[in-house]
Amino acid sequence: MYQLLDPSRFVVFITGATSGFGAAAARRYVAAGGKVIATGRRRDRLVELQAELGAENCHIIELDVRDRAAMEKAIAAIPAPFDQINIVLANAGLALGLQPAAETDLDDWQTMIDTNVSGLVYTVRLLLPGLIARGGGHVVTLGSVAGEYAYPGGSVYAATKAFVKHFALAIRSDLQGKNVRVTDIEPGLTETEFSLVRFKGDDAKAAKPYQGTKAMTADDIAESIYWATTLPAHVNINKIQLMATTQAIGAFDIHREH
């Protein structure tokens, strides 16, 4: 019989756990008997999640991954038994705006870089030594199909997700012999709060990408994350790239003079 890992032994540190993939993953791991450290900027959402999952299963930390000093302090203060982290889900990230590069707000670009790149590397770097010291574990990064297939208006967002992909592949080599696996999850069209954040609360704009189609859900992505981390320890899934059945790689964008 194929021996999967026992999820009841998982202690999962999740960034961006207040909604979307992070919240769905927290629910999936706790449902399987694991424990989670749910972090995010919206304390009210974290409190609700902890009430749903139980304080014995879910420890919460109000945290902004862009704040390195706060990250260091929070990680050092995690109480037992939640301090025995063996899975890191570096999920926090966002897209802002969809304007052409020459028209975009530089502050939006900077926020994406600070969150999707700096916040991710702070998370991974600060938690890796603990994984290694405890005998191994798993790092899961949240990339995007945008990291491979760029699109108009997605310049910096796509670039940050390309960084995530190559960062994950590179640290796989750094971790040889350490019993730490690394997987990059690269979702396509998924209906979460992603578009609402991108369009800064504009409900009409946020709904438009999903109109007339069937997008994936946060639970779909959480299940993929869960599957990759429950495979036997000698198996590493380098990346999982998912798209809705109704989404595919588009044609080349060619400008033509009229």
Side-chain angles (χ1 to χ4, degrees):
M1 184 177 177
Y2 200 60
Q3 294 295 316
L4 300 177
L5 296 184
D6 180 2
S8 69
R9 298 185 179 183
F10 289 169
V11 181
V12 190
F13 185 98
I14 304 175
T15 62
T18 57
S19 66
F21 305 151
R27 294 185 179 101
R28 184 65 181 91
Y29 281 110
V30 169
K35 296 185 182 300
V36 301
I37 301 105
T39 77
R41 292 182 297 160
R42 293 176 285 187
R43 181 166 183 80
D44 58 334
R45 295 277 191 96
L46 293 173
V47 170
E48 289 174 5
L49 185 64
Q50 186 181 54
E52 175 189 341
L53 301 179
E56 70 279 10
N57 303 315
C58 178
H59 177 69
I60 60 173
I61 306 173
E62 184 180 357
L63 190 61
D64 187 336
V65 295
R66 297 172 296 179
D67 188 336
R68 177 177 164 184
M71 290 281 290
E72 291 172 340
K73 183 178 178 181
I75 290 168
I78 294 172
F82 294 98
D83 58 346
Q84 300 302 299
I85 298 162
N86 47 30
I87 298 177
V88 176
L89 175 51
N91 165 73
L94 78 168
L96 290 173
L98 203 57
Q99 302 93 337
E103 302 169 19
T104 194
D105 185 334
L106 268 174
D107 288 339
D108 286 349
W109 276 7
Q110 191 64 57
T111 298
M112 286 186 278
I113 293 166
D114 290 344
T115 306
N116 302 356
V117 176
S118 297
L120 173 120
V121 299
Y122 296 161
T123 301
V124 174
R125 174 61 182 83
L126 291 172
L127 289 163
L128 266 181
L131 296 186
I132 294 168
R134 287 186 288 276
H138 204 138
V139 174
V140 181
T141 57
L142 244 298
S144 167
V145 295
E148 188 161 346
Y149 310 108
Y151 55 84
S155 52
V156 166
Y157 176 71
T160 65
K161 293 304 181 178
F163 175 93
V164 173
K165 175 182 7 187
H166 287 285
F167 177 72
L169 290 172
I171 64 173
R172 277 271 292 123
S173 293
D174 292 342
L175 292 166
Q176 284 285 53
K178 305 297 185 184
N179 198 33
V180 177
R181 302 185 290 176
V182 185
T183 302
D184 188 40
I185 306 293
E186 303 175 4
L189 186 68
T190 312
E191 190 165 3
T192 63
E193 292 182 3
F194 177 84
S195 282
L196 194 63
V197 172
R198 161 168 265 169
F199 296 113
K200 301 180 181 179
D202 188 320
D203 291 322
K205 284 185 178 180
K208 192 171 182 180
Y210 312 113
Q211 289 174 353
T213 191
K214 186 171 180 59
M216 295 184 293
T217 68
D219 288 338
D220 294 329
I221 309 308
E223 192 63 34
S224 298
I225 295 166
Y226 177 81
W227 172 78
T229 56
T230 53
L231 290 177
H234 70 282
V235 179
N236 188 95
I237 302 299
N238 292 335
K239 71 174 184 176
I240 301 176
Q241 188 177 99
L242 309 91
M243 284 186 171
T245 306
T246 54
Q247 182 183 25
I249 311 308
F252 284 113
D253 181 19
I254 300 173
H255 174 73
R256 303 183 190 278
E257 297 291 343
H258 296 288

